[in-house]
Amino acid sequence: MKEKEIGILLGGVSAERDISIKTGEAMYEALEGRGYRVQKVFVDADIDRVLRQTQIDLAVIAMHGTFCEDGCIQGLLETMGIPYTGSGVLASALAMDKLKSKELFRLYNVPTPSYYAVKSDDLPRLEQIHSSFGFPSFVKPRSGGSSVGAGAARGLSELKQRCEDSARFDDWILVERLIRGREVAVGLLDGNALGAIEIEPKGGFYDYKSKYQKGQSEYHFPARLSPTRYQGVLNLAERAVHAVGATGATRVDLLVTADENEYVLEVNTLPGMTPTSLLPKIAAGAGYDFGDLCEAIVERASLRIRAGLPSAGDGDRIPQTGAQTQVEPAE
């Protein structure tokens, strides 16, 4: 891999652009420090043109949010024949879509908080739709991350406000039953759990501020659970990743209640890699320093849809690569 030209794709056009840049900068410094040939590729609306003018053998996707985690950039890279890190198109789309991922969790008997989805056009009928669902509830955009546009609602007026906030980021809003419990995250590589960390946000809710500002949360690794329950949480995270078909480095967010119940909230196919991010903390507890983790992510770069796809322009500036190509069997 050290002989290949690696492009760190960072930025993007989502509400999580700033975090994406931090992730990309951190991964760039780590890989460059280990002797890799890396360059930063800032992603905007003209990313297809930029990629055609940039000689890279593989792409490290260091981005978050819409058009980044949802299969869009993955699909572009597939059609251009550029191997990339993280999950494939379908798994990325399913994990990013919180409604579809929860439907898959139910299909695979992965416990998740009860929920319903409402379209922004139907918000005038929110009281009728919410009906007997009850409070407190938790509101979030159907697609998104970093707790952007998300928050708790303890009554109808607050529910309406939260839904309006979420509607700024997605036409669909997901309303969940608010579960009281410990915030726990599991880090995984290729579907195998590395460990679980417990998050103790000082503000009571693990929001954007708690995630990205130092000193706003305390972390306990390993999570403060009994050995049997700890192993159960790891197993549950592995089942959740399997349900959506995610690969590479992933993170599963869960809630663990005092009455011996665990609930999966979501699977993150491109978890944050900033100094305060959870996956690097978990990996460190499993014996991977930050550089080791970045190398492990790069080593898993591949194409996933079909082999034999020519590079962009078939003779343009993007060369054919010798990276591993995975072919999904036809159904």
Side-chain angles (χ1 to χ4, degrees), residues 36 189 288 291-301:
Y36 287 83
L189 272 177
Y288 290 81
D292 293 335
L293 179 59
C294 290
E295 285 192 284
I297 290 172
V298 167
E299 289 168 0
R300 287 160 171 77

Side-chain angles (χ1 to χ4, degrees), residues 310-325:
S311 301
D314 195 18
D316 252 6
R317 297 192 181 183
I318 297 177
Q320 289 281 7
T321 72
Q324 176 186 6
T325 301

Side-chain angles (χ1 to χ4, degrees), residues 265-330:
L265 299 177
E266 60 185 80
V267 174
N268 296 274
T269 56
L270 289 175
M273 294 285 284
T274 72
T276 59
S277 295
L278 298 175
L279 180 60
K281 294 179 186 294
I282 296 167
Y288 290 81
D289 65 21
F290 189 76
D292 293 335
L293 179 59
C294 290
E295 285 192 284
I297 290 172
V298 167
E299 289 168 0
R300 287 160 171 77
S302 64
L303 291 169
R304 295 166 178 80
I305 292 182
R306 55 195 172 100
L309 192 66
S311 301
D314 195 18
D316 252 6
R317 297 192 181 183
I318 297 177
Q320 289 281 7
T321 72
Q324 176 186 6
T325 301
Q326 298 176 349
V327 184
E328 293 185 355

Side-chain angles (χ1 to χ4, degrees), residues 135-182:
F135 295 99
S137 301
F138 195 84
V139 181
K140 61 181 75 171
R142 177 173 173 174
S143 297
S146 296
S147 300
V148 175
R154 296 166 181 81
L156 185 60
S157 61
E158 194 172 18
L159 176 67
K160 291 179 179 178
Q161 184 59 57
R162 293 296 190 192
C163 287
E164 289 173 3
D165 292 342
S166 292
R168 294 166 49 207
F169 303 98
D170 199 309
D171 288 337
W172 283 88
I173 302 104
L174 192 70
V175 181
E176 292 180 324
R177 181 85 64 209
L178 181 63
I179 304 295
R180 301 291 184 185
R182 302 183 190 182

